[in-house]
Amino acid sequence: MKVYLSVDIEGAAGIAHWDEARKPERDYPEFQERMTGEAVAACEGALAAGATEIWIKDAHGSGRNILQERLPTEAVLIRGWSAHPLGMLQELDETIAAVGMVGYHSPASSSGNPLAHTLTGLYAKMMINGAVVSEYALHTYAANMLGVPVAFLSGDETICRLGKELNPSLTTVATNKGVGESVIATHPQRARDGIREGVSEAFSGDLSRHRVQLPDHFDFRLQFKHHADAYRRSFYPGAWLEGEDTVAFSTDNYFEILRLIRFMS
């Protein structure tokens, strides 16, 4: 069984400040270790469920965070960014049995994580069909577009709740609870144990139970923090400026949303 893990850092156990997520900062190495440890735990859970090949996308920042030597030999690590529209699911295809998302976080405009954002710091809010979407939702739709279910999610309590709303069969492990600019953090070992057990459960049995039906149509809204960024990007083919700070786009083809986001970033 070939599976896929997309691993981020802003939902890792205990993370509470951008200094802990950025390579040049003194606090970063501790959370690089934390991110790697949660990726290793997810791999162990996948192997326990019968995985024979694990593709991992280092999906934070530079894409060069996970300490590869710590991963099991069954793991293939995707480092850096190709700029493909699949983004945090780069190289995903129909040969993958299921996806797990580790260390994910609340979306921009959410209070669920002091590091809440969606993809880049440019956006105040991203919406599909009137609902705010997270990196989890964006990439869950992308995976299901290819017929691949997303079975597991770990991260802050809010993203876990939003994940279950989109996919009730999703196995989730909450690592933090955001309160203002603080977090109430699960112990890292307990988080790793939960991730290991959760991935094993999620990747076992009939994986089709995790499939999500995509909407027939996508009304997309991308609200920028700065109006000039919206104006410049509103000239993307088929897009238009809505108000002063929002780019709008409409399509029946979800890949077109992913393509637009890539060129808007």
Side-chain angles (χ1 to χ4, degrees):
M1 179 172 67
K2 181 179 176 183
V3 300
Y4 190 107
L5 300 172
S6 177
V7 186
D8 206 349
I9 203 171
E10 292 94 351
I15 196 163
H17 193 277
W18 283 110
D19 286 355
E20 297 166 340
R22 290 173 172 154
K23 269 182 177 285
E25 303 296 339
R26 184 173 55 188
D27 295 338
Y28 168 78
E30 177 183 355
F31 287 88
Q32 179 184 34
E33 287 280 348
R34 199 76 53 87
M35 179 184 181
T36 299
E38 293 186 6
V40 170
C43 287
E44 291 168 349
L47 293 171
T52 55
E53 188 176 350
I54 306 169
W55 283 63
I56 302 175
K57 175 69 185 89
D58 185 323
H60 171 65
S62 66
R64 296 179 285 109
N65 306 278
I66 293 171
L67 302 171
Q68 189 171 11
E69 290 278 1
R70 299 260 304 276
L71 299 174
T73 56
E74 294 86 353
V76 175
L77 182 62
I78 304 162
R79 303 182 75 237
W81 298 97
S82 71
H84 190 281
L86 282 176
M88 297 169 77
L89 296 179
Q90 180 190 327
E91 310 304 327
L92 187 75
D93 62 25
E94 295 85 349
T95 67
I96 302 291
V99 171
M101 298 179 178
V102 179
Y104 271 53
H105 52 82
S106 299
S109 78
S110 167
S111 62
N113 188 321
L115 281 65
H117 67 283
T118 307
L119 299 180
T120 79
L122 290 172
Y123 313 133
K125 190 181 296 184
M126 192 177 291
M127 303 181 74
I128 291 178
N129 295 344
V132 172
V133 291
S134 62
E135 292 172 9
Y136 161 77
L138 286 171
H139 291 89
T140 289
Y141 282 152
N144 281 271
M145 175 184 72
L146 297 173
V148 181
V150 176
F152 176 83
L153 172 68
S154 71
D156 60 69
E157 281 190 5
T158 297
I159 195 60
C160 289
R161 174 179 57 78
L162 293 173
K164 293 285 278 187
E165 288 176 2
L166 180 60
N167 177 11
S169 80
L170 186 70
T171 300
T172 63
V173 173
T175 55
N176 299 315
K177 178 180 180 180
V179 182
E181 293 187 353
S182 72
V183 297
I184 300 170
T186 301
H187 189 282
Q189 185 60 55
R190 188 169 182 178
R192 289 190 294 270
D193 290 345
I195 290 167
R196 184 183 305 107
E197 294 165 10
V199 170
S200 178
E201 173 191 332
F203 284 4
S204 297
D206 181 6
L207 297 176
S208 68
R209 71 187 187 276
H210 299 300
R211 289 211 175 100
V212 169
Q213 182 68 41
L214 269 67
D216 293 329
H217 182 77
F218 301 90
D219 283 319
F220 184 71
R221 299 294 183 273
L222 190 53
Q223 182 181 2
F224 287 82
K225 293 180 180 178
H226 301 291
H227 64 86
D229 290 331
Y231 176 77
R232 181 165 62 250
R233 288 163 174 81
S234 68
F235 294 98
Y236 182 88
W240 65 93
L241 190 65
E242 194 169 83
E244 296 181 339
D245 60 1
T246 300
V247 174
F249 187 77
S250 187
T251 182
D252 293 338
N253 182 351
Y254 187 67
F255 187 79
E256 293 304 323
I257 299 292
L258 300 176
R259 193 200 311 266
L260 176 143
I261 290 170
R262 180 57 49 207
F263 282 87
M264 294 276 171
S265 299

